[in-house]
Amino acid sequence: MADLRLAVIGDPIAHTLSPLIQGKMMERLGVPGSYDAHLVHTEGLGDFVKFARENLDGFNITIPHKSHILPYLDGIDTYAASCGAVNTVRVTDGKLYGFNTDGNGIVSALRLMGVSFQGARVSLLGAGGAALSICKKALEMGAKSVTVFCRTPAKAAAMAEDPRVTVRSFDQLSADSCGKVSDVIVNATPLGMSGIDSNFSDFSFLDGTSAAVCDIVYKPAETSLLRECAARGIRCCNGLNMLIYQAIYAFEIFLGQSFNRDDMGAYLGKEVRKALGQEA
Ligand code: NAP
């Protein structure tokens, strides 16, 4: 097999777990090649694209270039286009094809909890890039409704285009608006994340809920939201499986073939928890 030449770009890039995760997959599957992290400033994106067309088989994209890359693409898949964001680019014969694997990442994370978006009433906290990709995937998977709670409702405009989506202000988050009327609750804000000062002011929105909760934050492993869920006996997961499965779907795109995702997911879970100092 020829070497697979891969990379990840972002600004900043030092924090990225992608080289670890993609490198472990290459190693486990015996795929030869390289996966390098490139710090790319916005003004340098054109130069990187030229380099990628000539030298790479694919690359991942993190903040802030997930939307900046769009004008450079030769093709984009339908879901990524609906998100207006691409996290995975396959390079074939010098042409760039864009994908977004975040949505499949959260679908896999929920599946491992025995939960699906299909027919679900979803409450989504936040209206940033991750929230948009989750909202679009929930709708694609047949969610009955998506209620977006956010500080800046204008940012939810692309979500509100679908009649199943309702946008509410973050301070309207309550048991009556969320906990008691949701099947799935997803936190897609950085509240509770290590290094972020702000946190949920209270958890009364979980009162009386029978919903499953996914906090897409994965550092720390147990956020205050998840600690609260555990204390209340609510089914919940953090964002680690979303992170791992979006990477698995990306690697399948690079490789051009699929493999046993759950076997790989379990292996990567151990490796990433080790790297994050989160071993049980
Ligand atoms: P983003 O585009 O910056 O969006 C963040 C969202 O959170 C915005 O809606 C923002 O509201 C809201 N927010 C921030 N602080 C808030 C507060 N104090 N109260 C209420 N809302 C607040 O970020 P993102 O890329 O969507 O990422 C969001 C989180 O998900 C991050 O923690 C990121 O690490 C995590 N993430 C995890 C995965 C995974 O694979 N597990 C993937 C992607 C992202 P405003 O617009 O009003 O600021």
Side-chain angles (χ1 to χ4, degrees):
M1 181 187 270
D3 278 13
L4 208 50
R5 294 151 309 163
L6 304 172
V8 57
I9 61 166
D11 181 11
I13 197 65
H15 66 289
T16 181
L17 288 167
S18 293
L20 169 83
I21 298 176
Q22 298 286 337
K24 289 286 173 194
M25 282 193 278
M26 294 172 95
E27 206 178 285
R28 190 164 172 88
L29 295 172
V31 174
S34 56
Y35 188 99
D36 302 317
H38 295 254
L39 173 66
V40 174
H41 302 305
T42 302
E43 59 277 15
L45 190 57
D47 286 342
F48 175 81
V49 164
K50 187 171 181 303
F51 166 80
R53 286 187 196 283
E54 291 164 5
N55 297 287
L56 296 181
D57 298 301
F59 57 97
N60 289 120
I61 304 172
T62 186
I63 288 169
H65 302 315
K66 288 184 179 186
S67 55
H68 299 162
I69 194 71
L70 298 180
Y72 296 100
L73 299 175
D74 298 291
I76 183 167
D77 97 324
T78 314
Y79 166 72
S82 77
C83 297
V86 158
N87 73 345
T88 302
V89 174
R90 192 185 64 220
V91 185
T92 307
D93 298 330
K95 293 206 177 334
L96 269 48
Y97 299 94
F99 303 83
N100 186 320
T101 64
D102 282 340
N104 282 337
I106 191 159
V107 167
S108 296
L110 293 178
R111 175 180 57 78
L112 293 173
M113 266 206 296
V115 174
S116 158
F117 280 135
Q118 200 184 357
R121 297 164 302 169
V122 179
S123 280
L124 187 53
L125 318 188
L132 178 59
S133 64
I134 293 165
C135 179
K136 293 290 181 184
K137 185 53 79 169
L139 296 170
E140 185 188 299
M141 299 290 291
K144 189 172 174 192
S145 62
V146 179
T147 307
V148 182
F149 293 90
C150 61
R151 280 195 309 199
T152 317
K155 290 199 184 162
M159 303 192 228
E161 285 166 7
D162 191 290
R164 288 171 288 171
V165 175
T166 306
V167 180
R168 306 190 72 152
S169 125
F170 201 77
D171 52 26
Q172 289 179 300
L173 191 59
S174 70
D176 286 337
S177 66
C178 176
K180 290 180 185 164
V181 293
S182 302
D183 304 303
V184 182
I185 300 171
V186 179
N187 175 40
T189 75
L191 290 173
M193 187 170 137
S194 302
I196 299 279
D197 283 339
S198 43
N199 210 326
F200 288 91
S201 50
D202 79 280
F203 292 103
S204 57
F205 66 92
L206 296 173
D207 290 351
T209 196
S210 53
V213 174
C214 179
D215 191 343
I216 72 165
V217 170
Y218 54 85
K219 213 171 149 191
E222 189 178 54
T223 59
S224 52
L225 170 61
L226 295 180
R227 204 160 36 248
E228 184 72 19
C229 289
R232 291 168 179 251
I234 296 170
R235 257 184 312 173
C236 60
C237 71
N238 68 15
L240 192 67
N241 279 329
M242 177 178 169
L243 176 79
I244 285 171
Y245 277 80
Q246 63 78 27
I248 288 174
Y249 281 101
F251 194 62
E252 286 190 350
I253 289 168
F254 296 144
L255 203 56
Q257 65 185 69
S258 58
F259 46 85
N260 187 325
R261 292 181 198 128
D262 287 346
D263 174 71
M264 186 63 87
Y267 166 72
L268 291 175
K270 281 189 207 135
E271 294 295 330
V272 176
R273 277 193 296 274
K274 211 189 298 171
L276 291 172
Q278 294 179 355
E279 291 123 309

